[in-house]
C-alpha cells in the first residue's frame, strides 16, 4: 500500500500499544484455542513456548510462582519496594504518572473507594495486606490457561534485548487477540526456583 495505508497501520499499532494492559482480575476459566495459541507463538517460535496449566510443567510453574511470590511478599525489603510503587491517592497518580493504581490492580469500584479513602504505604506492609496479595495471586495462577515462556539464546545483552522484544511482541499479539495476560516473573527472581 501507499502512504495512507502506512499511516493507518501506524495508528492501529499505536492504539494497540496504548490498549495493552496487564489483567490482574481473575481470568476466564477456559483453555486457549489452538488458533489463538498459534497466533501468540507466530514469528517467535524459537523464543516462545506455551505450557498448559494442567500439564506437569504447568503445575510446577503454578507452585513455583506462588511460592516465590509469597517469599517476596514476606521479605520486608521487597515489600517496602512494592509499597513505594503503590499509588494511594489520585493526586499522586496525576503528579507522578507511574506506579500501581487500584485500577491497574483490578480492584472493584467499592475496593477502589476504600483504597483511596483508607490505605497508606504503611498498610501495604501489614500482614493482612500481604496475605490478601498472596491469596489473589494464587487464585489467578489457578485460573489461567497456561504460561507463555520467553527464552533467550544466552545471557548476552543482545540476546536479552531480543528476548524483551519477543516478550513485547507476544503481549501485543495477545492484546490484539483479546487474550488476557499478567506477567509473573517471581520464580525467575527468587531462589531456589530461579
Amino acid at each position: 500500500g501507499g502512504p495512507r495505508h502506512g499511516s493507518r497501520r501506524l495508528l492501529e499499532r499505536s492504539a494497540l500499544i496504548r490498549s495493552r494492559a496487564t489483567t490482574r482480575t481473575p481470568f476466564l476459566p477456559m483453555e486457549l484455542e489452538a488458533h489463538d495459541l498459534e497466533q501468540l507463538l507466530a514469528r517467535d517460535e524459537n523464543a516462545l513456548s506455551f505450557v498448559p496449566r494442567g500439564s506437569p510443567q504447568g503445575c510446577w510453574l503454578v507452585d513455583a510462582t506462588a511460592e516465590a511470590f509469597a517469599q517476596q511478599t514476606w521479605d520486608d525489603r521487597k515489600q517496602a519496594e512494592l509499597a513505594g510503587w503503590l499509588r494511594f491517592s489520585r493526586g499522586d497518580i496525576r503528579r507522578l504518572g507511574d506506579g500501581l493504581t487500584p485500577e491497574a490492580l483490578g480492584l472493584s469500584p467499592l475496593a477502589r473507594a476504600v483504597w483511596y479513602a483508607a490505605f497508606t504505604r504503611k498498610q501495604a506492609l501489614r500482614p493482612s495486606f500481604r496475605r490478601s496479595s498472596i491469596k489473589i495471586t494464587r487464585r489467578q495462577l489457578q485460573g489461567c490457561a497456561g504460561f507463555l515462556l520467553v527464552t533467550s539464546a544466552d545471557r548476552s545483552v543482545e540476546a536479552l534485548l531480543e528476548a524483551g522484544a519477543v516478550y513485547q511482541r507476544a503481549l501485543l499479539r495477545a492484546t490484539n487477540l483479546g487474550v488476557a495476560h499478567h506477567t509473573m516473573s517471581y520464580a525467575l527472581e527468587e531462589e531456589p526456583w530461579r
Side-chain angles (χ1 to χ4, degrees):
R4 274 193 168 157
H5 182 68
S7 295
R8 187 175 73 233
R9 215 160 69 193
L10 183 62
L11 285 173
E12 289 169 359
R13 287 179 183 167
S14 179
L16 183 62
I17 289 168
R18 282 193 309 278
S19 69
R20 188 190 76 71
T22 295
T23 303
R24 288 186 168 87
T25 54
F27 294 124
L28 295 176
M30 55 195 301
E31 299 299 316
L32 282 178
E33 293 189 24
H35 174 74
D36 288 340
L37 186 54
E38 186 179 295
Q39 292 297 309
L40 278 174
L41 301 176
R43 183 176 168 198
D44 293 312
E45 292 111 355
N46 293 333
L48 291 175
S49 57
F50 180 78
V51 177
R53 180 183 42 80
S55 70
Q57 298 89 349
C59 291
W60 186 90
L61 285 167
V62 166
D63 291 341
T65 304
E67 291 172 27
F69 179 78
Q71 183 169 299
Q72 281 189 357
T73 301
W74 291 113
D75 181 312
D76 289 341
R77 185 180 54 81
K78 291 178 181 177
Q79 190 67 9
E81 179 184 345
L82 170 67
W85 284 103
L86 295 173
R87 300 296 175 246
F88 298 103
S89 75
R90 289 184 173 89
D92 282 350
I93 293 168
R94 281 188 300 276
R95 186 172 52 81
L96 299 169
D98 66 5
L100 295 169
T101 66
E103 292 80 9
L105 294 172
L107 299 183
S108 69
L110 177 60
R112 282 186 288 223
V114 170
W115 175 281
Y116 285 128
F119 272 73
T120 65
R121 184 167 290 150
K122 186 176 179 182
Q123 285 176 300
L125 300 175
R126 291 191 173 152
S128 59
F129 186 92
R130 296 181 199 212
R131 283 191 297 272
S132 176
S133 297
I134 291 168
K135 182 179 175 182
I136 290 167
T137 298
R138 286 186 191 277
R139 190 174 345 147
Q140 193 164 38
L141 285 164
Q142 290 297 332
C144 71
F147 300 88
L148 188 64
L149 304 178
V150 182
T151 57
S152 61
D154 53 47
R155 289 180 173 247
S156 69
V157 171
E158 182 180 350
L160 293 174
L161 287 172
E162 177 56 28
V166 166
Y167 162 76
Q168 291 298 329
R169 285 192 300 268
L171 295 186
L172 290 172
R173 286 194 297 270
T175 300
N176 196 43
L177 293 166
V179 174
H181 54 275
H182 179 180
T183 301
M184 293 187 173
S185 58
Y186 318 117
L188 295 173
E189 301 161 0
E190 297 293 320
E191 297 295 348
W193 307 278
R194 185 187 315 226

